[in-house]
Amino acid sequence: MNAATRGTSVLKSGVKRLLGRTGFDIVRSTNNRGGVDDFIPFEATMRAAKAAGLSVGDHIDAVMNGTPGATQSTIDRLRTLGVYAAKPETVLEIGPGSGRYLEKTLKECSPERYEIYETAAPWAGYLVETFGVIARPTAGSSLAPTPDGSIDLVQAHKVFNTVTFLCAARYFFEMARVVRPGGRIVFDVMTETCLDPATVRTWATEGGPGHDSYPAAMPRGTCVDLFATFGCTLEASFVAPMGVASTEVLVFVKEK
């Protein structure tokens, strides 16, 4: 058993003990439609993570989502693909929420500027105070405060499977606008790769009350073809865990 496997095993054991004590009392808003700011409520989540003896990110992965190590596994794959080897000096993240991907991204690279677009004010304030990132004002699917071609790495994790098709598409136009030539765009979507009949049945029967716009499907071909019109080529893709199912991470590079 390697170190990563041992770490995951220890985390799973700790989660099992925690769930045994709490009766699986997961802190989450009962209104869990995509785009709702209190889907992961700030104060209650912070208290629960502290009580569990876990970082906020590990608490959300392991306890709230039931996917221990999910965030780190995605970061590891992006590292293997050379995303961080390019030493991005500017990073922009859409919907960082609790900052679990943001925190791990900062451990992989040291950008001079890290911009975030986060609609949940308590989480945005926490990220600015904790990590020194720049919170940009949000308005619909616009990244207007960010100039054209100014960002080395644009990313969004667990965002576009929670919003409507057109909301995601409008963000895609903006992501392609702000990324510089040679820069990368990384995001995940719930493509047909992630929606075999058994998974659709699971979402339909076990997803729980409140699911409406979430989870939102996005055709893979639509993403690839649209980004091609922006001069962005699909460099790599892989499947990542997401709750009861999975999501597909796409990595695009913009032509120089």
Side-chain angles (χ1 to χ4, degrees), residues 82-92 111 113 143 146-155 173-186 227 230-233 235 252-256:
V83 170
Y84 308 117
K87 300 184 186 306
E89 295 183 359
T90 52
V91 178
L92 183 153
R113 186 174 79 254
L143 306 177
T146 302
D148 296 359
S150 62
I151 304 296
D152 295 317
L153 171 61
V154 183
Q155 62 178 354
F173 280 88
E174 284 288 83
M175 295 167 86
R177 176 184 67 80
V178 302
V179 73
R180 68 164 179 79
R184 285 185 170 89
I185 298 172
V186 176
F227 275 93
F230 303 144
C232 298
T233 303
E235 188 174 50
F252 290 92
V253 60
K254 190 168 187 178
E255 298 171 0
K256 294 184 178 180

Side-chain angles (χ1 to χ4, degrees), residues 72-84:
Q72 188 61 56
S73 68
T74 293
I75 295 295
D76 290 344
R77 290 294 297 272
L78 294 176
R79 183 196 311 113
T80 299
L81 292 170
V83 170
Y84 308 117

Side-chain angles (χ1 to χ4, degrees), residues 1-44:
M1 182 184 295
N2 59 33
T5 304
R6 283 197 302 273
T8 300
S9 177
V10 170
L11 183 54
K12 286 181 177 179
S13 297
V15 170
K16 287 180 179 178
R17 289 194 299 273
L18 172 67
L19 298 183
R21 293 196 305 269
T22 64
F24 208 71
D25 183 18
I26 296 177
V27 178
R28 191 185 289 277
S29 170
T30 55
N31 186 353
N32 56 359
R33 292 191 176 97
V36 177
D37 290 348
D38 67 347
F39 183 39
I40 299 180
F42 176 73
E43 292 184 2

Side-chain angles (χ1 to χ4, degrees), residues 191-256:
T191 66
E192 57 272 30
T193 304
C194 312
L195 292 170
D196 59 272
T199 299
V200 173
R201 180 178 296 276
T202 299
W203 276 117
T205 60
E206 300 178 22
H211 286 268
D212 188 0
S213 63
Y214 167 79
M218 171 66 72
R220 188 179 195 273
T222 297
C223 290
V224 175
D225 293 345
L226 179 62
F227 275 93
T229 68
F230 303 144
C232 298
T233 303
L234 182 67
E235 188 174 50
S237 67
F238 58 91
V239 173
M242 188 189 74
V244 301
S246 61
T247 182
E248 186 172 6
V249 181
L250 306 178
V251 181
F252 290 92
V253 60
K254 190 168 187 178
E255 298 171 0
K256 294 184 178 180

